[in-house]
Amino acid sequence: MPNADVPAYGDFADVALHLQESFLHNMEVEALLRDLAEYAATRLGAQGQECSCEITVLRPKKTPATASSRPGAALITPLELHHGDGPGLTAMRTAGTVLMADLRSDLRWPEYATAARQQGVLSVLSIPADLEGDTKGVLTLYCSHPVASGSDGISAAEAFVRRASKGLKLALRMLKLEETRDGMSAAMQTRTVIDLATGAIMAQNRCSQSAAFKVLRDASNSRNMKLREVAAAVVASVAGAGETFTYFDE
């Protein structure tokens, strides 16, 4: 568990700078979380006492993102998702720190505790991250030794998460904007192909725009193909195999 000698809350200003540098090199959620988990394990670990860190972020309409400070090791967090409850999920749900001081005697989640002990874990500390909207996050420390409730190390870990939450919140906001931009770009490209195909059908059949679009839609349904794929085939038949382009300023 966190070292009692770890600096107090006011001394974790380096976390924000580390997240800033990390985000410049890790533009994907999993990579960013993995780097933060490794940094947390380094900053909060106690000499001679093995602890690892996992960070999980749950975002609406996104697959849960989890990363660990242990390269190549099996993730423990999915055990909670499998069993439907555990310290990390409880911490996110209640917005409060959850400590399993000794998995040999803590009976709250017996199946989870048994599975974690099989990986050499004897204590678990889950601290929720303060993120935006419906996005939830939690930093969980797994240690090979029992931990006393109320230790200074727990307070230090909570201070670390408070600092990290600010940088993580900003990084996730920027990633969301990037994903939104990419989604809009893809939608515009699809719309361009459909508009070109509709225009080609209008010219060939001398029909209205609505009638031309109905031809595309009917072909999509009868051939069990996406509308964009049918439209691309129409454009290719008229203009050859060349790609279509959507022009806009970013």
Side-chain angles (χ1 to χ4, degrees), residues 76 79-80 85-94 96-100 103 106 108-109 112-113 116 123-128 138-142:
I76 298 180
L79 291 173
E80 296 190 55
D85 204 358
L89 292 176
T90 300
M92 285 189 283
R93 184 174 62 251
T94 63
T97 297
V98 176
L99 171 66
M100 298 184 75
L103 299 189
D106 195 317
R108 283 176 290 178
W109 303 286
Y112 168 85
S123 63
V124 178
L125 176 67
S126 292
I127 306 170
V138 64
L139 182 149
T140 299
L141 290 163
Y142 304 98

Side-chain angles (χ1 to χ4, degrees), residues 1-249:
M1 194 55 64
N3 189 348
D5 296 328
V6 170
Y9 171 50
D11 297 323
F12 280 116
D14 60 294
V15 178
L17 179 60
H18 181 86
L19 270 170
Q20 176 181 315
E21 292 293 330
S22 177
F23 182 70
L24 293 175
H25 298 92
N26 301 298
M27 296 295 289
E28 295 181 355
V29 173
E30 286 78 5
L32 180 66
L33 296 183
R34 183 168 56 252
D35 181 79
L36 180 58
E38 293 172 352
Y39 190 66
T42 299
R43 292 286 277 112
L44 298 172
Q47 187 174 6
Q49 296 181 327
E50 181 181 355
C51 290
S52 62
C53 175
E54 284 183 7
I55 301 177
T56 296
V57 170
L58 304 180
R59 297 181 295 167
K61 300 180 181 180
K62 299 287 184 180
T63 302
T66 300
S68 172
S69 63
R70 303 180 299 169
L75 295 173
I76 298 180
T77 299
L79 291 173
E80 296 190 55
L81 301 177
H82 174 73
H83 293 298
D85 204 358
L89 292 176
T90 300
M92 285 189 283
R93 184 174 62 251
T94 63
T97 297
V98 176
L99 171 66
M100 298 184 75
D102 191 335
L103 299 189
R104 295 170 298 187
S105 57
D106 195 317
L107 303 179
R108 283 176 290 178
W109 303 286
E111 293 181 347
Y112 168 85
T114 298
R117 282 172 57 192
Q118 290 174 351
Q119 296 195 38
V121 175
L122 282 185
S123 63
V124 178
L125 176 67
S126 292
I127 306 170
D130 180 18
L131 303 178
E132 288 184 317
D134 294 330
T135 299
K136 305 294 183 182
V138 64
L139 182 149
T140 299
L141 290 163
Y142 304 98
C143 297
S144 58
H145 57 278
V147 172
S149 177
S151 68
D152 292 339
I154 295 176
S155 298
E158 291 174 329
F160 181 94
V161 174
R162 284 194 293 269
R163 286 283 191 176
S165 292
K166 297 179 181 180
L168 187 57
K169 183 187 300 184
L170 179 59
L172 291 173
R173 183 187 300 174
M174 295 177 68
L175 286 171
K176 183 178 181 180
L177 291 173
E178 190 78 11
E179 292 167 353
T180 299
R181 189 204 66 171
D182 292 344
M184 291 179 62
S185 176
M188 291 179 67
Q189 291 172 3
T190 295
R191 181 61 182 268
T192 297
V193 173
I194 293 174
D195 286 347
L196 288 172
T198 300
I201 294 172
M202 291 173 63
Q204 290 178 340
N205 298 345
R206 298 182 181 277
C207 63
S208 66
Q209 181 180 8
S210 60
F213 182 78
K214 185 177 184 301
V215 170
L216 283 176
R217 187 178 58 196
D218 291 345
S220 173
N221 293 333
S222 63
R223 300 178 187 179
N224 195 26
M225 296 173 60
K226 293 182 179 180
L227 186 62
R228 185 187 189 285
E229 295 173 347
V230 174
V234 171
V235 173
S237 68
V238 174
E243 295 183 358
T244 56
F245 297 93
T246 301
Y247 298 95
F248 62 94
D249 293 328

